[in-house]
Amino acid sequence: MANFDIEISEVGPRDGLQSIKAIMPTEAKKAWIKAEFEAGVPEIEVGSFVSPKLLPQLADTAEIVAYARTLPGLQIAALVPNLRGLEAAVKAGVHKVGIPFSQSETHSIKNVKKTHPEMLAEIQRCVEFLQTVPAEQRPRFEVGLSTAFGCTIEGNVDEDVVVSNAEKVLEIGADEVGLSDTTGFANPVQLKRITQRIWDSCGKDKLMGVHLHNTRGQGLANVLAAVEMGITTVDASLGGIGGCPWAPGASGNIVTEDLVWMLEAMGLKTGIDIDKLLAVRELVKEALPDEPMYGFIPDAGVPKGFVPASAV
């Protein structure tokens, strides 16, 4: 039985590190992952299987996965852009694999050089490959519906396209879809509307996770809307690492520390020890001394008398 009501997936070692110029030493990454695991974080996206020429920050992902597998009970996630990346992820022993599918076709072409039909064909190849993998080695395969709420290139994204593409990838054989606010456009009403439409069309069990950004200050408001609806997995990054290239000075990712405090204060168990989590922040700051880190709880502290739900 899981010891949490809401599963927090830490994405800093992937989404955070790929968005900054600094390259964190491999041993520092291992220390970060171990410390978060010991703080009670149930799932960590430890890297991405992409060309090291494109993302030298994540060139050691296979080694990081091998280390993460020594931490008993940790759910290891990784991102892949295509079939080649998926094959590498399976070989490394990842438990959960995500592939980004930009709902803005312009963004898809810029990001992975594929139109929507080409991306659907790539997802089909990924599913066919996974069907050849023994069940005990087969990772859960999630298609992340990126730019689902808006795009810095196209602007508004047609919600009908998002729902239709969710239907298509699930028909192909993906295990689930996730909603990603890649550019920080989402608002709570929009999030509820799109989530409900996908649930109505595809089933509630096919969309249980969200990846939300705080670029325009709506991150925790959107999380609140999501969990009130019944979403059970939320991505976040320690210290909001990664920022957002489209909004200088703004935190891109939701800050894990603030998210844990909010949920625990609401009476929702995350299974995470917030004091231990705040100690991890210091470890990461030492490894990335020149990178800004965000968050209110690290500065203000937890309120006097605070009793986390996970401690009850």
Side-chain angles (χ1 to χ4, degrees):
M1 290 277 298
N3 62 342
F4 51 79
D5 299 312
I6 302 296
E7 178 184 54
I8 292 180
S9 180
E10 171 63 57
V11 300
R14 193 280 301 175
D15 194 12
L17 294 184
Q18 78 170 26
S19 304
I20 63 177
K21 291 182 179 179
I23 297 179
M24 180 181 264
T26 299
E27 293 308 310
K29 290 182 185 179
K30 292 177 181 178
W32 177 3
I33 291 166
K34 181 175 186 288
E36 281 218 27
F37 167 73
E38 292 177 344
V41 175
E43 178 176 289
I44 301 178
E45 190 177 46
V46 302
S48 180
F49 288 89
V50 298
S51 167
K53 292 180 181 179
L54 291 175
L55 287 177
Q57 302 95 318
L58 304 180
D60 56 358
T61 294
E63 181 178 346
I64 295 299
V65 171
Y67 172 74
R69 284 181 61 87
T70 68
L71 303 174
L74 177 64
Q75 180 82 354
I76 304 165
L79 195 76
V80 303
N82 50 35
L83 174 58
R84 180 181 297 178
L86 176 61
E87 290 171 340
V90 170
K91 182 179 179 181
V94 169
H95 302 129
K96 179 180 176 182
V97 172
I99 188 169
F101 180 13
S102 295
Q103 298 308 285
S104 156
E105 192 160 34
T106 308
H107 185 274
S108 181
I109 293 168
K110 291 267 188 182
N111 191 40
V112 293
K113 298 180 175 59
K114 286 184 173 62
T115 63
H116 279 180
E118 289 170 338
M119 196 61 209
L120 287 166
E122 188 71 19
I123 292 168
Q124 174 78 53
R125 286 190 284 271
C126 288
V127 170
E128 290 173 352
F129 163 68
L130 287 173
Q131 290 171 344
T132 70
V133 177
E136 66 276 10
Q137 299 172 25
R138 188 183 308 148
R140 189 159 181 84
F141 184 54
E142 177 187 287
V143 175
L145 303 174
S146 309
T147 65
F149 302 96
C151 171
T152 48
I153 305 169
E154 288 188 11
N156 292 333
V157 171
D158 189 340
E159 292 179 12
D160 290 343
V161 170
V162 179
V163 176
S164 175
N165 281 330
E167 294 171 346
K168 289 174 182 176
V169 299
L170 290 168
E171 287 171 1
I172 287 171
D175 294 311
E176 60 186 302
V177 295
L179 280 176
S180 298
D181 185 20
T182 313
T183 53
F185 274 45
N187 65 71
V189 171
Q190 181 189 27
L191 182 143
K192 286 183 175 182
R193 184 174 60 244
I194 296 176
T195 297
Q196 191 62 58
R197 288 191 62 184
I198 293 177
W199 281 354
D200 290 344
S201 179
C202 304
K204 190 172 181 178
D205 63 323
K206 297 301 183 181
L207 167 59
M208 296 307 295
V210 289
H211 179 98
L212 304 168
H213 281 199
N214 197 45
T215 312
R216 291 173 175 81
Q218 300 301 299
L220 291 183
N222 288 327
V223 169
L224 180 59
V227 298
E228 284 181 338
M229 287 193 75
I231 290 292
T232 56
T233 299
V234 181
D235 292 355
S237 175
L238 190 84
I241 289 175
C244 179
W246 300 280
S251 167
N253 290 297
I254 292 171
V255 177
T256 307
E257 303 94 302
D258 290 348
L259 175 61
V260 170
W261 179 78
M262 183 186 82
L263 294 173
E264 292 282 345
M266 289 170 57
L268 294 170
K269 296 180 180 180
T270 65
I272 298 171
D273 184 312
I274 194 163
D275 291 325
K276 289 183 179 179
L277 186 67
L278 290 169
V280 182
R281 182 184 176 97
E282 297 307 311
L283 183 154
V284 174
K285 282 173 69 174
E286 288 180 14
L288 298 172
D290 298 324
E291 291 302 322
M293 295 185 76
Y294 305 91
F296 290 96
I297 285 298
D299 291 335
V302 298
K304 185 177 181 179
F306 169 66
V307 179
S310 292
V312 176

